[in-house]
Amino acid sequence: QFPQYVYRTPQGDHTYTDPMTGAEATVTYRTCTRFLTVHLVNTVCGSNQVPTEYIEDKRCIPDSHEPTAFMVDILNRQMPFPFLADSCVQLSASHYDVDAVAEQQIIVAVMDASRKEPIKQGIVTALPWTTTVLAARAAGLLGVPMMHAHGDVAALH
């Protein structure tokens, strides 16, 4: 019901254009045999924020999560935790217009995400508080840790 996007850091040598200088640069990422998946649920890709066509073209999720993906890339380049030496973090998010579905549908969206590969080790929400409470209930039923970060409020559930 809710199509999913998964972002995984490239492995090995990766060439890119440095956004600050415009110069070509190369970075080497670790090779990972295991992945910890964090599922993102937020209103960034809702029709109240962006044009519906942008959501329907499935461009909003990758574009809106570029800063988060950048941080994950840095983390995956040099995993600071020795017990996770062969593991990398990856992100998943659902492609749908969050603002076009009933608030209660967030429960269905979280349950749906939990049933899809890859297995989710955590959920991060950036939603209005009432919707977040519903997502936290779903995460609690699933036994998946959830963190809420929206505006100036952050809480761990």
Side-chain angles (χ1 to χ4, degrees):
Q1 183 176 2
F2 300 98
Q4 182 177 249
Y5 167 80
V6 177
Y7 173 76
R8 183 178 283 181
T9 299
Q11 295 186 38
D13 292 332
H14 180 69
T15 303
Y16 66 98
T17 302
D18 186 310
M20 301 299 280
T21 65
E24 193 171 281
T26 302
V27 65
T28 301
Y29 292 102
R30 297 175 308 109
T31 300
C32 298
T33 57
R34 298 182 298 169
F35 294 89
L36 304 171
T37 307
V38 176
H39 189 71
L40 307 172
V41 183
N42 61 40
T43 57
V44 172
C45 289
S47 53
N48 291 342
Q49 309 291 327
V50 296
T52 307
E53 302 78 42
Y54 192 58
I55 300 166
E56 291 168 355
D57 289 347
K58 306 220 182 327
R59 291 181 291 154
C60 188
I61 292 293
D63 291 356
S64 66
H65 293 304
E66 270 187 24
T68 310
F70 179 71
M71 288 186 290
V72 166
D73 286 349
I74 291 171
L75 179 67
N76 287 339
R77 199 173 322 156
Q78 296 177 342
M79 179 57 74
F81 309 110
F83 60 92
L84 295 175
D86 63 342
S87 301
C88 284
V89 175
Q90 65 184 6
L91 305 173
S92 69
S94 297
H95 278 293
Y96 68 99
D97 183 353
V98 176
D99 296 325
V101 297
E103 190 176 66
Q104 294 78 10
Q105 281 292 98
I106 195 65
I107 294 172
V108 177
V110 169
M111 301 288 262
D112 185 68
S114 74
R115 293 185 185 115
K116 292 180 178 169
E117 291 289 332
I119 295 170
K120 313 307 184 280
Q121 280 76 34
I123 297 171
V124 175
T125 62
L127 301 164
W129 185 248
T130 54
T131 311
T132 295
V133 170
L134 295 172
R137 288 180 182 159
L141 285 171
L142 295 166
V144 177
M146 187 187 108
M147 185 174 121
H148 170 69
H150 188 263
D152 56 358
V153 178
L156 187 62
H157 301 277

